Amino acid sequence: MNITNIARKLFFPSRQKFIISQYENDAEGLQQKVLQHLIEMGKQTEYGKNHLFNTTHNYEDFTKNVPVNTYEELKGYIDRMRHGDSNVLWPGKVKWFAKSSGTTNDKSKFIPVTNEGLHKIHYAGGFDSVALYFLNNPNSRVFDGKNLILGGSHAPNYNLPGSLVGDLSAILIENINPLVNLTRVPSKQTALISDFEIKRDKIARETFNKNVASLSGVPSWMLSVLVKVLEISGKQYLDEVWPNLEVFFHGGISFLPYRPQYLELIRNDRMHYMETYNASEGFFGIQSDLNDHSMLLMIDYGVFYEFISMDEIDKENPQVIPLSGVEIGKNYAMVISTSCGLWRYMIGDTISFTSLKPYKFIITGRTKYFINAFGEELIMDNAEKALAYVCEKTHSEVLEYSAAPVFMDNHAKCRHQWLIEFSHEPENLQEFERLLDLKLQELNSDYEAKRYHDITLQHLEIIKARKNLFNDWLKSKGKLGGQHKVPRLSNNRKFMDEMLKMNYNCVNLHQQA
């Protein structure tokens, strides 16, 4: 009997059965238990006392006593927690803070990670990811090899003893059960290196001769590591390096633009790709069916979910609904309360449900990652699907991209401007532009209406980015590696103008040379 079979029989069957039955038949009951636990714990905190948790007995009380919060509303509490104050947003003293760049400005967010949240949200998500993978792939031998986990880095938090601030992945690696280290690569020392370029090289050198069976990480950064592995090993395909590789647990950004490149690198027909929705704020979803791209909403982790329809998001008092009130196909902003001390917190992501029994969803974008300069309401889900379609039609591949509006040029023309770095360029860029514009109109009726006869919005424009432009831009921001992301859609030109300046400066230097 192999090690994987032993692990499967010892740890996973009961949890698999619970997820299958309870998630489908008692979702609301599970969520009510989570809310009651959070309220009970919150009574011991300053925030709970300020918001009448002692008189909060049900969801209706909760919505009356606790406002919907953005990071700015909780920032003062979190700053005090970072300086060592206890019982502020969650009972006791919080030692770990996940530094998040998931915003459209340069400011970082510091998300509290409590001990309960670490184990009952984040590690629980990792556990269930493997459990559901076993359910989908009963012949797996994933524990017979190594798991390449790609993480970020951390640093001391205000020099408080034992307190850390950094990427969530680094906090997870720092606190992981020592038994997991028996199957994890690279070494902890390498995994926590802050300079991504140095780390990438060391990871590749440490792992190319190991029996790697699974990958875990952000698709863009993992791809960069895998290319380095091939370079060092001298091989053309990854399955020549790691013949027993069978699964990539990925999250952080959409996998859709990267899928063709992974399929080129890994020819193994036994290879699986499993999406997870794990963020600094919590672990929210797992792809429970490898043939269905939607994810199962994890409803018993110590996260209570609420939602705001994107139709309501700009209203002064938008309607907030619990999980039981959502509808299939609507675009919602997600609001969470968690055992990490986030209370009715707008995470900034948008999702759409594909099933209500059980609750399954897809990530559609960010509340701030959209273009709505002319009433077109273009979201990231539209962009990802359109690009995937056009790449297939033109036999091309997009490595990275960003888009923003041109509000009015010298000829009083308004349009969307796309900056795209191709890994395989289309033969005809103008045809790529044409197909992308048409597909966006097909996917988004508001965009189609604004494009009608070029009256409001003219044909989109694509600018070809030089090689490594987006990496260089992230590096200039100190955001290379980890969970940092390229802003896909922006409703202003701040990031686009910065990137274009770097793109043009490099082109001009080459022309002068």
Side-chain angles (χ1 to χ4, degrees), residues 375-377 444-451:
E376 65 274 42
E377 296 187 20
N444 185 315
S445 58
D446 290 315
Y447 182 83
E448 180 183 36
K450 298 303 179 290
R451 285 282 296 114

Side-chain angles (χ1 to χ4, degrees), residues 44-101:
Q44 308 170 45
T45 69
E46 178 183 327
Y47 190 86
K49 292 172 183 175
N50 289 344
H51 292 85
L52 307 178
F53 277 27
N54 279 325
T55 61
T56 299
H57 305 295
N58 50 43
Y59 178 63
E60 289 70 26
D61 293 340
F62 187 64
T63 60
K64 290 176 184 176
N65 295 335
V66 183
V68 173
N69 293 298
T70 65
Y71 184 77
E72 292 304 316
E73 277 82 49
L74 297 181
K75 185 176 183 296
Y77 293 100
I78 294 173
D79 285 345
R80 289 174 45 216
M81 294 165 70
R82 288 189 63 204
H83 282 89
D85 285 6
S86 300
N87 304 318
V88 180
L89 291 174
W90 193 254
K93 186 176 291 189
V94 177
K95 297 191 299 181
W96 309 303
F97 297 86
K99 186 177 180 181
S100 171
S101 62

Side-chain angles (χ1 to χ4, degrees), residues 16-53:
Q16 291 171 348
K17 291 176 184 176
F18 181 86
I19 291 174
I20 292 170
S21 62
Q22 296 296 101
Y23 273 46
E24 184 167 339
N25 299 316
D26 192 27
E28 282 74 27
L30 291 174
Q31 276 285 275
Q32 286 305 311
K33 289 179 182 177
V34 170
L35 179 59
Q36 289 303 319
H37 171 70
L38 295 176
I39 292 171
E40 193 61 35
M41 297 297 287
K43 290 177 182 178
Q44 308 170 45
T45 69
E46 178 183 327
Y47 190 86
K49 292 172 183 175
N50 289 344
H51 292 85
L52 307 178
F53 277 27

Side-chain angles (χ1 to χ4, degrees), residues 466 505-513:
R466 63 169 173 80
N505 284 347
C506 182
V507 170
N508 291 336
L509 286 172
H510 284 304
Q511 289 175 345
Q512 291 171 11

Side-chain angles (χ1 to χ4, degrees), residues 239-258:
D239 41 291
E240 296 177 292
V241 183
W242 299 322
N244 296 315
L245 183 65
E246 63 173 84
V247 61
F248 178 24
F249 298 99
H250 60 84
I253 60 175
S254 171
F255 188 58
L256 195 59
Y258 300 95

Side-chain angles (χ1 to χ4, degrees), residues 1 93 117 183 185 240 243 477 511:
M1 182 180 292
K93 186 176 291 189
T183 62
V185 289
E240 296 177 292
K477 299 287 185 181
Q511 289 175 345

Side-chain angles (χ1 to χ4, degrees), residues 106 466 468-480 485-487 494-500 502:
D106 292 334
R466 63 169 173 80
N468 292 325
L469 169 68
F470 292 95
N471 277 1
D472 291 345
W473 180 78
L474 285 171
K475 189 176 181 180
S476 73
K477 299 287 185 181
K479 295 181 177 181
L480 189 63
K485 308 163 192 173
V486 173
K494 180 179 184 297
F495 296 143
M496 177 63 76
D497 287 342
E498 291 175 354
M499 294 174 191
L500 286 176
M502 294 182 73

